[in-house]
Amino acid sequence: FFDTLEWTYPMLARAYLTRLRDAGSDAPKWLGKARKAVRRGLKLVKRHSNYVPAAYLNQALLDWAEGRRDDAAAAFDRSIEAAQKQGSFLMLAETHLEAGRCWVRDDPKRARRHLQLALDLFEDRGMEPDALRCRELIDDAGGLTGEVTVP
């Protein structure tokens, strides 16, 4: 049976993961919701290959939130590879942006590399609001060559 809402799972997972970032004492509630939506999104890729980059990005963000840095790095890489294969510049840029956001404190050099790639993709397409988000995160990562600042 076709679930008429199944296409929403990748977006729902992303919403829960974004909410989780600033959840404070509500984090366990949002983490549980995110886990469920990420699992459902991963199941979708068997029938809808266009969801692969988003599903792996969501998995990376969930892994990161749960402290599994190596798993997150691998899922970011899978999302990047899938977005490149599909020619989805937006998913590619978003994955680099989110990877950069995650790595800002733990590995500023890695963060800057991802953020610069995202910035280039957004600027090449005239997506100024997204490019601005990248520039702000690059500044948080110490600029393109500097020291990281922790807000």
Side-chain angles (χ1 to χ4, degrees):
F1 179 74
F2 177 73
D3 181 350
T4 57
L5 297 177
E6 72 179 5
W7 60 272
T8 65
Y9 293 130
M11 292 178 283
L12 188 59
R14 185 71 180 273
Y16 290 151
L17 290 161
T18 299
R19 180 66 178 98
L20 177 62
R21 250 186 239 150
D22 300 315
S25 63
D26 284 341
K29 173 179 107 175
W30 292 107
L31 186 59
K33 289 177 179 267
R35 277 188 196 122
K36 186 175 180 180
V38 168
R39 275 195 309 270
R40 287 181 172 171
L42 287 169
K43 288 180 183 178
L44 269 180
V45 302
K46 295 174 186 170
R47 293 189 310 274
H48 305 287
S49 63
N50 57 317
Y51 287 127
V52 171
Y56 284 137
L57 172 56
N58 290 335
Q59 182 64 58
L61 294 172
L62 178 62
D63 290 341
W64 189 271
E66 294 181 326
R68 296 188 313 272
R69 302 300 192 247
D70 291 341
D71 292 340
F76 280 129
D77 289 344
R78 288 192 301 270
S79 178
I80 288 166
E81 181 181 335
Q84 288 171 331
K85 282 182 182 177
Q86 289 181 356
S88 176
F89 85 88
L90 184 56
M91 276 310 307
L92 181 59
E94 280 294 317
T95 300
H96 280 300
L97 175 67
E98 291 300 331
R101 181 191 316 273
C102 288
W103 288 109
V104 163
R105 290 194 175 118
D106 292 1
D107 189 342
K109 184 177 179 180
R110 184 184 286 190
R112 286 189 296 271
R113 180 177 58 83
H114 282 292
L115 292 168
Q116 184 62 56
L117 290 166
L119 179 61
D120 292 345
L121 288 163
F122 288 135
E123 285 181 338
D124 287 349
R125 284 153 180 90
M127 299 176 71
E128 190 53 38
D130 297 296
L132 179 60
R133 287 189 304 156
C134 287
R135 286 188 207 100
E136 290 169 353
L137 288 167
I138 288 170
D139 288 344
D140 288 346
L144 293 178
T145 58
E147 295 297 316
V148 64
T149 59
V150 178

